[in-house]
Amino acid sequence: EFALNPCSTLQVSHRTGANMVEQVVRCYTPISPNGTKGFFDVLVKKQLNGRMTETMFSLEVGESLFFRVQEYKLSYLPNKWKHVGMIGGGTGITPLFQVINHALSNDDDSTKLSLLFANRRESNILLRGTLDDFAEKFADRFKVHYIVNQADASWKGYTGNINAQTIKETMPPPARDIKVLICGPDKMMAHLC
């Protein structure tokens, strides 16, 4: 049975030769809910010439990779904070999704959650259907906002880069019982942090 603390990752490795130098190692955050039996899912964006993604996308049935758990310093506990704001970009959604999934699956957790999810284009929004379903099903606890750099005329979300106004409109105001989590590409992290 799959059971992983929120904000934990799985380290995956694949040896391509006899030397340790030839071992490819990357970390991925699984998106499967705890309690899943017999498998787990990771969300992987294929990178051109990416050593691990090229390996993963070329595996044949029966071939395997080695996974191990890595736990991180942040521990999400039900009702520890009144409101958790999350700002994610691209595949940086995966650890945030892990927290969202964990929080919303616990009936005893009343923590409010807000997500601002940044992508280049609307077509790049990962997990959108699930996030929208969560926002509808848990409307009293979870709000999702999308921002894209390139939008067509039908786009109804935010456009451009995340800025102070966007954060003010989508995130909980600062307070002792508020937590804000940020995960995304280096450029976004440098811009926000």
Side-chain angles (χ1 to χ4, degrees):
E1 182 173 297
F2 189 73
L4 193 65
N5 293 329
C7 302
S8 297
T9 65
L10 295 176
Q11 183 184 63
V12 60
S13 63
H14 179 73
R15 187 171 286 179
T16 57
N19 299 321
M20 287 299 287
V21 159
E22 297 172 279
Q23 181 172 326
V24 182
V25 178
R26 297 289 184 272
C27 291
Y28 294 97
T29 306
I31 59 171
S32 298
N34 284 339
T36 301
K37 294 184 180 181
F39 70 95
F40 60 87
D41 293 315
V42 289
L43 182 65
V44 179
K45 181 178 178 182
K46 186 175 182 183
Q47 300 292 332
L48 185 62
N49 300 318
R51 289 179 66 201
M52 181 55 77
T53 58
E54 290 290 336
T55 298
M56 291 175 98
F57 282 82
S58 67
L59 287 174
E60 298 290 332
V61 173
E63 292 183 292
S64 61
L65 296 170
F66 176 73
F67 286 87
R68 72 178 186 156
V69 173
Q70 284 194 296
E71 297 199 38
Y72 283 87
K73 295 177 183 176
L74 176 74
S75 293
Y76 177 85
L77 299 171
N79 303 309
K80 183 175 182 178
W81 300 288
K82 179 181 175 184
H83 198 149
V84 175
M86 292 169 270
I87 302 173
T91 56
I93 188 62
T94 57
L96 306 177
F97 183 80
Q98 202 179 59
V99 170
I100 294 163
N101 203 11
H102 184 78
L104 296 178
S105 67
N106 183 344
D107 293 336
D108 296 325
D109 191 350
S110 61
T111 307
K112 292 197 180 299
L113 308 166
S114 296
L115 171 66
L116 175 59
F117 188 18
N119 288 274
R120 286 191 182 114
R121 290 175 289 283
E122 183 177 8
S123 61
N124 296 127
I125 300 173
L126 303 168
L127 300 170
R128 185 176 186 181
T130 303
L131 293 169
D132 289 346
D133 287 347
F134 283 166
E136 185 177 325
K137 184 177 179 182
F138 301 99
D140 59 326
R141 289 190 52 212
F142 177 61
K143 305 286 184 235
V144 61
H145 309 275
Y146 301 106
I147 183 169
V148 296
N149 294 105
Q150 302 165 18
D152 61 26
S154 65
W155 177 247
K156 302 215 183 315
Y158 292 94
T159 56
N161 291 318
I162 296 171
N163 57 38
Q165 186 63 35
T166 313
I167 292 171
K168 187 175 181 180
E169 291 175 12
T170 60
M171 292 293 104
R176 290 196 182 278
D177 57 356
I178 299 297
K179 186 74 163 177
V180 176
L181 307 174
I182 303 173
C183 189
D186 293 342
K187 188 176 177 183
M188 185 189 98
M189 297 299 288
H191 173 72
L192 294 176
C193 301

